Amino acid sequence: MRNDNRMFKKILIANRGDVALRVLRASRDLGIPTVSVHSTADNDAMHVKLADESVCIGPPKSSESYLNVQALISAALVTGADAIHPGVGFLSENADFAEIVNAHAITFIGPSPEHIRTMGDKVAAKQAAKNVGLPLVPGSNGEVKNLTDAEKEADRIGYPVIIKAASGGGGRGMKVAATKKELSEAFSSARSEAKAAFGDDKVYLEKYLTNPRHIEVQVFADAHGNVVHLGERECSIQRRHQKLFEECPSPILSSEQRKRIGELSSQATKKLGYLGLGTIEYLYENDEFFFIEMNTRLQVEHPITEMVTGLDLVCEQIKIASGAKLNFEQQEILFKGHAIECRINAENSSTFLPSPGKIDTFHPPGGPGVRIDAIVYQGYKVSPFYDSLISKLIVYGKDRETCLLRTQRALEEFIIEPIDTSIELHKKLVCHKDVMSGNYSIKWLEETFLQNT
Ligand code: MV4
């Protein structure tokens, strides 16, 4: 099949797992040939089997394969790929990688290296967000260099405060100080943790929000100045910064609040001069939104936005990266119904220990409103080398109640044996009264649900 001649001739997917499969499907839907890459641990992976060609880029260890920039660039050059999709995780938010890709006259499917770099430094990201009118958590004006300044800032902001690593994100290198007495210890341990984890001890300070929700807005911009938002996702149900269950839209926002945060986010994206798909993350507490981070890539939970908007975000992302104009306006995006994603991990539902091994029985659910993005199949061996996400269950319903009931039904149909999976956890989760009522925060799973079940 032929595709638009301005489009890419061949896309290399610099990733593995569900996201590699997702990008592969989008590329094929656009009629673009695909190159997968794989480590020796992934010889039997779906993203290898379904690609037009695949290049082995190294041994199981990620640092020698999926993070191996030289091997990835070589794979693109020898196969004649003119674009690289970085997926999620691995090199997807590595500005140097984006720069190297572009320097080889290959299109990095994502924003500019400058935007990736700015958003990767949380101090710079907050400043950028402030400049484009986003509401920030009250906090220090940039980096805090020593304890004296930290004390001054904390007194001004008011306790409790949180000390965060500028290079952090995803929850690493954060420390809370409830009182002035706790600050000195929290400050020095945050700094040394940041130094050890990121090689950078730059930290900043914020008012600690004690019981917020985590709500993110999907934004999308083309290279011609057109920007839209694709609504929000509610991502509060998480354990140790790993999201488990997401919904679109958030069960607690009014349509006015939704419109307001959506418009604010798209205006900010336009002012940033941003390109492609992005996610603006907020904490939400007492009817207020506070910017915390911007993710400059596709997100794992993007399918729930696809279900509610009817758009294929990955196809759109690829088209925009090739220089195409957005072919819809904000008013044409209709948010319809409700969607839920359950992340199915190969892990025990009580202990959360990983559960690698061979799958003898794989019986996914079906029927109306059920989408499975799975990387596993009967006979597949889940490897211990990579993250444990083996399937996503995405369920659509005309409203939230329909969606929740259908999610229960789908989970009951879903059989993966003999390894442990999070299906068991999700079965309990979806019929819990707090989930049914939408009454949960970022602390709910760990402090309420897991304590009482
Ligand atoms: C916070 C916070 C409370 N107050 N900032 C965690 C990871 C990073 N993205 C930001 N995080 C938080 N920042 C202030 N001022 C609580 C968290 C937080 C969190 C945020 C989003 C999703 C899950 C979370 C789990 C624990 C803590």
Side-chain angles (χ1 to χ4, degrees):
M1 210 201 299
R2 280 169 51 89
N3 55 262
D4 188 320
N5 58 15
R6 285 165 307 176
M7 273 286 259
F8 302 121
K9 289 198 290 290
K10 202 187 255 190
I11 297 176
L12 180 134
I13 303 158
N15 215 300
R16 65 173 305 282
D18 67 289
V19 73
L21 198 54
R22 178 70 191 86
V23 174
L24 187 144
R25 285 173 170 151
S27 307
R28 293 186 76 101
D29 284 352
L30 291 169
I32 305 171
T34 52
V35 185
S36 280
V37 295
H38 63 279
S39 74
T40 52
D42 276 337
N43 287 330
D44 297 326
M46 290 262 277
H47 77 279
V48 176
K49 291 181 194 287
L50 295 181
D52 294 290
E53 47 193 321
S54 191
V55 179
C56 182
I57 48 163
K61 234 174 118 186
S62 298
S63 58
E64 292 169 37
S65 51
Y66 296 105
L67 292 169
N68 184 342
V69 174
Q70 286 185 18
L72 291 165
I73 298 287
S74 305
L77 294 175
V78 299
T79 55
D82 55 353
I84 293 183
H85 195 299
V88 172
F90 293 121
L91 296 165
S92 62
E93 290 180 289
N94 186 314
D96 294 341
F97 178 62
E99 233 161 45
I100 292 167
V101 171
N102 291 337
H104 284 82
I106 300 167
T107 303
F108 178 83
I109 302 178
S112 72
E114 291 70 34
H115 283 109
I116 300 174
R117 195 165 281 127
T118 301
M119 295 306 169
D121 176 339
K122 307 304 161 188
V123 168
K126 279 192 80 170
Q127 188 57 51
K130 187 180 174 189
N131 293 345
V132 297
L134 293 177
L136 304 185
V137 191
S140 58
N141 205 343
E143 180 185 2
V144 177
K145 292 204 164 90
N146 53 55
L147 184 60
T148 317
D149 288 355
E151 285 178 342
K152 236 183 273 168
E153 290 296 320
D155 282 338
R156 184 176 61 78
I157 299 158
Y159 288 90
V161 296
I162 183 166
I163 301 131
K164 295 184 177 179
S167 301
R172 293 202 294 167
M174 303 192 325
K175 284 280 175 291
V176 176
T179 61
K180 190 164 192 162
K181 253 175 58 194
E182 291 177 17
L183 188 64
S184 131
E185 163 67 20
F187 184 74
S188 52
S189 71
R191 275 182 75 156
S192 50
E193 257 183 40
K195 183 80 192 168
F198 316 109
D200 174 13
D201 66 358
K202 192 157 113 184
V203 297
Y204 60 105
L205 216 120
E206 278 178 358
K207 175 90 184 171
Y208 178 62
L209 306 181
T210 51
N211 202 24
R213 302 175 74 111
H214 176 41
I215 298 176
E216 58 187 30
V217 177
Q218 179 76 64
V219 291
F220 192 38
D222 69 14
H224 309 275
N226 305 302
V227 184
V228 293
H229 72 83
L230 300 170
E232 86 285 4
R233 293 183 288 258
E234 167 74 62
C235 303
S236 298
I237 298 189
Q238 55 84 38
R239 177 182 173 272
R240 299 191 180 171
H241 306 288
Q242 295 295 317
K243 295 168 187 161
L244 270 163
F245 175 100
E246 304 101 344
E247 38 183 336
C248 178
S250 166
I252 49 116
L253 293 189
S254 67
S255 51
E256 291 74 36
Q257 286 172 309
R258 173 164 306 119
K259 187 163 185 282
R260 193 167 53 80
I261 196 63
E263 284 173 0
L264 198 64
S265 302
S266 60
Q267 282 161 16
T269 304
K270 188 172 169 75
K271 288 184 197 152
L272 284 169
Y274 189 82
L275 172 67
L277 273 182
T279 299
I280 306 187
E281 290 192 347
Y282 298 94
L283 295 179
Y284 178 83
E285 195 176 68
N286 302 327
D287 290 331
E288 270 193 276
F289 282 96
F290 304 97
F291 168 89
I292 47 169
E293 288 173 25
M294 181 169 187
N295 298 323
T296 53
R297 52 161 167 79
L298 184 71
Q299 306 249 142
V300 175
E301 58 273 24
H302 76 276
I304 53 177
T305 300
E306 298 188 313
M307 302 303 268
V308 167
T309 60
L311 292 166
D312 184 315
L313 294 196
V314 187
C315 285
E316 296 302 334
Q317 185 187 31
I318 293 169
K319 289 194 274 182
I320 260 52
S322 78
K325 276 191 180 151
L326 269 178
N327 62 355
F328 47 84
E329 288 175 24
Q330 188 68 56
Q331 308 90 272
E332 294 173 83
I333 302 168
L334 300 177
F335 300 98
K336 198 170 156 224
H338 197 91
I340 287 174
E341 173 177 275
C342 297
R343 297 193 190 189
I344 313 296
N345 298 322
E347 67 189 17
N348 185 280
S349 278
S350 316
T351 61
F352 294 94
L353 289 172
S355 173
K358 188 168 170 231
I359 292 174
D360 294 331
T361 308
F362 181 69
H363 186 95
V370 175
R371 165 174 166 186
I372 297 286
D373 283 13
I375 63 161
V376 298
Y377 49 84
Q378 205 125 308
Y380 179 83
K381 239 176 119 183
V382 178
S383 116
F385 294 105
Y386 309 108
D387 81 31
S388 58
L389 184 67
I390 55 169
S391 176
K392 299 192 283 200
L393 165 65
I394 304 121
V395 179
Y396 178 80
K398 68 181 194 318
D399 51 38
R400 188 168 187 267
E401 199 187 329
T402 310
C403 187
L404 279 166
L405 269 169
R406 192 176 267 169
T407 305
Q408 277 185 41
R409 186 267 288 171
L411 287 163
E412 276 155 25
E413 286 180 31
F414 208 164
I415 300 169
I416 302 178
E417 285 173 350
I419 64 165
D420 292 336
T421 72
S422 15
I423 293 172
E424 294 314 308
L425 176 83
H426 285 294
K427 279 183 186 166
K428 292 184 202 145
L429 206 58
V430 284
C431 58
H432 193 286
K433 67 173 180 17
D434 293 341
V435 172
M436 304 275 270
S437 65
N439 179 26
Y440 57 76
S441 74
I442 60 170
K443 293 189 171 168
W444 179 82
L445 188 77
E446 284 163 297
E447 293 185 6
T448 305
F449 181 79
L450 294 175
Q451 298 302 318
N452 303 314
T453 52

